[in-house]
Amino acid sequence: MAARHSVTLLITAGSRQMVDIVARRIHASQFTGVAPFVGLKAGSFPRDAEQLRTHLVKQLHAAAGGSLLIRDVEEMSSAAQLTFASILREGSLGHPAAVRLIAGTTVSLLERVNAGYFLEELLIAPDETPTDADRPSRRKWASITA
């Protein structure tokens, strides 16, 4: 089972609870009850680079065929952002099933990018020009404000 659409989602909401509600509703609208829904808190990722990479790949595999929600994505350390971007760039996790990737935040990630705290490669703001959005090194997110 795989996502009907390969869109990666960014949910911006006023509370963590609202992020979870929206993420679970998106998951439920795409998958039956057997598809996994895995939720991670970005601030709890391991600090060691190799442990971090192993942890992220393991969680992506656990969510295969379903959804992976990264809560409080703005809390990802710089190392976690670089590692996650590397994993996404590789494009293959050695697993045949797709994962619906959902990131949740209660703050403006564009402001975090502009302040130098969030990796621009992990974000495309909805108001960017098509030329910027076409850069192959950057992730495309569908943005939902709840």
Side-chain angles (χ1 to χ4, degrees), residues 45-134:
F45 289 164
R47 298 284 179 210
D48 176 76
E50 191 54 41
Q51 288 178 353
L52 173 63
R53 182 173 187 75
T54 301
H55 176 71
L56 289 174
V57 169
K58 180 179 177 181
Q59 296 308 313
L60 284 162
H61 281 280
S67 302
L68 175 67
L69 168 63
I70 300 177
R71 295 177 182 94
D72 303 321
V73 70
E74 75 279 1
E75 293 181 7
M76 276 182 134
S77 68
S78 297
Q81 292 176 46
L82 290 169
T83 300
F84 197 64
S86 171
I87 291 168
L88 294 175
R89 262 194 312 271
E90 291 169 6
S92 173
L93 299 170
H95 200 286
V99 174
R100 165 63 48 98
L101 182 59
I102 305 171
T105 183
T106 58
V107 302
S108 168
L109 287 185
L110 183 58
E111 288 177 11
R112 303 277 299 177
V113 166
N114 291 337
Y117 296 115
F118 199 79
L119 188 62
E120 185 179 22
E121 181 177 354
L122 292 176
L123 176 71
I124 288 186
D127 59 345
E128 286 185 322
T129 63
T131 304
D132 288 340
D134 289 339

